[in-house]
PDB file of all heavy atoms in Angstrom:
ATOM      1  N   PHE A 246     -11.063  -2.456  12.048  1.00 98.00           N
ATOM      2  CA  PHE A 246     -10.923  -3.311  10.880  1.00 98.00           C
ATOM      3  C   PHE A 246     -10.549  -2.488   9.669  1.00 98.00           C
ATOM      4  O   PHE A 246     -11.130  -2.607   8.552  1.00 98.00           O
ATOM      5  CB  PHE A 246     -12.206  -4.103  10.607  1.00 98.00           C
ATOM      6  CG  PHE A 246     -12.264  -5.357  11.389  1.00 98.00           C
ATOM      7  CD1 PHE A 246     -12.595  -5.383  12.672  1.00 98.00           C
ATOM      8  CD2 PHE A 246     -11.939  -6.619  10.771  1.00 98.00           C
ATOM      9  CE1 PHE A 246     -12.703  -6.515  13.467  1.00 98.00           C
ATOM     10  CE2 PHE A 246     -11.957  -7.757  11.475  1.00 98.00           C
ATOM     11  CZ  PHE A 246     -12.341  -7.753  12.824  1.00 98.00           C
ATOM     12  N   ARG A 509     -12.329 -17.209   8.908  1.00 98.00           N
ATOM     13  CA  ARG A 509     -13.406 -17.167   9.942  1.00 98.00           C
ATOM     14  C   ARG A 509     -14.356 -16.078   9.665  1.00 98.00           C
ATOM     15  O   ARG A 509     -15.572 -16.211   9.647  1.00 98.00           O
ATOM     16  CB  ARG A 509     -12.722 -17.000  11.293  1.00 98.00           C
ATOM     17  CG  ARG A 509     -13.550 -17.019  12.478  1.00 98.00           C
ATOM     18  CD  ARG A 509     -12.668 -16.664  13.642  1.00 98.00           C
ATOM     19  NE  ARG A 509     -13.315 -16.748  14.950  1.00 98.00           N
ATOM     20  CZ  ARG A 509     -12.907 -17.638  15.917  1.00 98.00           C
ATOM     21  NH1 ARG A 509     -11.886 -18.515  15.671  1.00 98.00           N
ATOM     22  NH2 ARG A 509     -13.516 -17.705  17.069  1.00 98.00           N
ATOM     23  N   SER A 598      -7.788  -9.629  16.911  1.00 98.00           N
ATOM     24  CA  SER A 598      -7.966 -10.937  17.594  1.00 98.00           C
ATOM     25  C   SER A 598      -9.147 -11.702  17.089  1.00 98.00           C
ATOM     26  O   SER A 598     -10.137 -11.129  16.485  1.00 98.00           O
ATOM     27  CB  SER A 598      -8.110 -10.694  19.114  1.00 98.00           C
ATOM     28  OG  SER A 598      -9.365 -10.048  19.338  1.00 98.00           O
ATOM     29  N   ALA A 599      -9.267 -13.003  17.425  1.00 98.00           N
ATOM     30  CA  ALA A 599     -10.390 -13.817  17.062  1.00 98.00           C
ATOM     31  C   ALA A 599     -11.651 -13.265  17.755  1.00 98.00           C
ATOM     32  O   ALA A 599     -12.757 -13.224  17.163  1.00 98.00           O
ATOM     33  CB  ALA A 599     -10.163 -15.295  17.485  1.00 98.00           C
ATOM     34  N   ALA A 600     -11.477 -12.738  18.992  1.00 97.00           N
ATOM     35  CA  ALA A 600     -12.626 -12.179  19.687  1.00 97.00           C
ATOM     36  C   ALA A 600     -13.160 -10.968  18.985  1.00 97.00           C
ATOM     37  O   ALA A 600     -14.407 -10.702  18.919  1.00 97.00           O
ATOM     38  CB  ALA A 600     -12.191 -11.774  21.127  1.00 97.00           C
ATOM     39  N   GLU A 601     -12.300 -10.206  18.359  1.00 98.00           N
ATOM     40  CA  GLU A 601     -12.773  -9.021  17.518  1.00 98.00           C
ATOM     41  C   GLU A 601     -13.558  -9.490  16.312  1.00 98.00           C
ATOM     42  O   GLU A 601     -14.574  -8.856  15.905  1.00 98.00           O
ATOM     43  CB  GLU A 601     -11.562  -8.059  17.191  1.00 98.00           C
ATOM     44  CG  GLU A 601     -11.089  -7.341  18.395  1.00 98.00           C
ATOM     45  CD  GLU A 601      -9.904  -6.414  18.011  1.00 98.00           C
ATOM     46  OE1 GLU A 601      -9.188  -6.705  17.078  1.00 98.00           O
ATOM     47  OE2 GLU A 601      -9.830  -5.318  18.638  1.00 98.00           O
ATOM     48  N   VAL A 602     -13.038 -10.539  15.645  1.00 98.00           N
ATOM     49  CA  VAL A 602     -13.731 -11.058  14.489  1.00 98.00           C
ATOM     50  C   VAL A 602     -15.102 -11.485  14.931  1.00 98.00           C
ATOM     51  O   VAL A 602     -16.118 -11.192  14.279  1.00 98.00           O
ATOM     52  CB  VAL A 602     -12.943 -12.213  13.898  1.00 98.00           C
ATOM     53  CG1 VAL A 602     -13.786 -12.880  12.761  1.00 98.00           C
ATOM     54  CG2 VAL A 602     -11.625 -11.695  13.235  1.00 98.00           C
ATOM     55  N   ASP A 603     -15.255 -12.171  16.043  1.00 98.00           N
ATOM     56  CA  ASP A 603     -16.495 -12.663  16.494  1.00 98.00           C
ATOM     57  C   ASP A 603     -17.423 -11.468  16.941  1.00 98.00           C
ATOM     58  O   ASP A 603     -18.611 -11.585  16.645  1.00 98.00           O
ATOM     59  CB  ASP A 603     -16.268 -13.636  17.693  1.00 98.00           C
ATOM     60  CG  ASP A 603     -15.593 -14.971  17.206  1.00 98.00           C
ATOM     61  OD1 ASP A 603     -15.598 -15.184  16.012  1.00 98.00           O
ATOM     62  OD2 ASP A 603     -15.101 -15.688  18.083  1.00 98.00           O
ATOM     63  N   ALA A 604     -16.818 -10.498  17.447  1.00 97.00           N
ATOM     64  CA  ALA A 604     -17.628  -9.288  17.836  1.00 97.00           C
ATOM     65  C   ALA A 604     -18.242  -8.632  16.578  1.00 97.00           C
ATOM     66  O   ALA A 604     -19.384  -8.200  16.509  1.00 97.00           O
ATOM     67  CB  ALA A 604     -16.825  -8.297  18.623  1.00 97.00           C
ATOM     68  N   LEU A 605     -17.405  -8.614  15.554  1.00 98.00           N
ATOM     69  CA  LEU A 605     -17.896  -7.919  14.279  1.00 98.00           C
ATOM     70  C   LEU A 605     -19.042  -8.826  13.690  1.00 98.00           C
ATOM     71  O   LEU A 605     -20.041  -8.318  13.330  1.00 98.00           O
ATOM     72  CB  LEU A 605     -16.737  -7.917  13.296  1.00 98.00           C
ATOM     73  CG  LEU A 605     -17.046  -7.149  11.937  1.00 98.00           C
ATOM     74  CD1 LEU A 605     -15.796  -6.557  11.315  1.00 98.00           C
ATOM     75  CD2 LEU A 605     -17.659  -8.042  10.901  1.00 98.00           C
ATOM     76  N   LEU A 606     -18.794 -10.159  13.736  1.00 98.00           N
ATOM     77  CA  LEU A 606     -19.805 -11.032  13.134  1.00 98.00           C
ATOM     78  C   LEU A 606     -21.090 -10.991  13.954  1.00 98.00           C
ATOM     79  O   LEU A 606     -22.215 -11.102  13.400  1.00 98.00           O
ATOM     80  CB  LEU A 606     -19.223 -12.502  13.098  1.00 98.00           C
ATOM     81  CG  LEU A 606     -18.169 -12.650  12.056  1.00 98.00           C
ATOM     82  CD1 LEU A 606     -17.571 -14.105  12.170  1.00 98.00           C
ATOM     83  CD2 LEU A 606     -18.664 -12.441  10.628  1.00 98.00           C
ATOM     84  N   ALA A 607     -20.989 -10.788  15.273  1.00 97.00           N
ATOM     85  CA  ALA A 607     -22.166 -10.694  16.117  1.00 97.00           C
ATOM     86  C   ALA A 607     -22.964  -9.434  15.794  1.00 97.00           C
ATOM     87  O   ALA A 607     -24.212  -9.419  15.777  1.00 97.00           O
ATOM     88  CB  ALA A 607     -21.805 -10.745  17.593  1.00 97.00           C
ATOM     89  N   ALA A 608     -22.220  -8.315  15.517  1.00 97.00           N
ATOM     90  CA  ALA A 608     -22.896  -7.034  15.293  1.00 97.00           C
ATOM     91  C   ALA A 608     -23.368  -6.978  13.816  1.00 97.00           C
ATOM     92  O   ALA A 608     -24.228  -6.149  13.505  1.00 97.00           O
ATOM     93  CB  ALA A 608     -21.920  -5.912  15.548  1.00 97.00           C
TER      94      ALA A 608
END
Side-chain angles (χ1 to χ4, degrees):
F246 274 78
R509 184 187 187 114
S598 64
E601 287 182 326
V602 170
D603 292 344
L605 185 152
L606 290 174

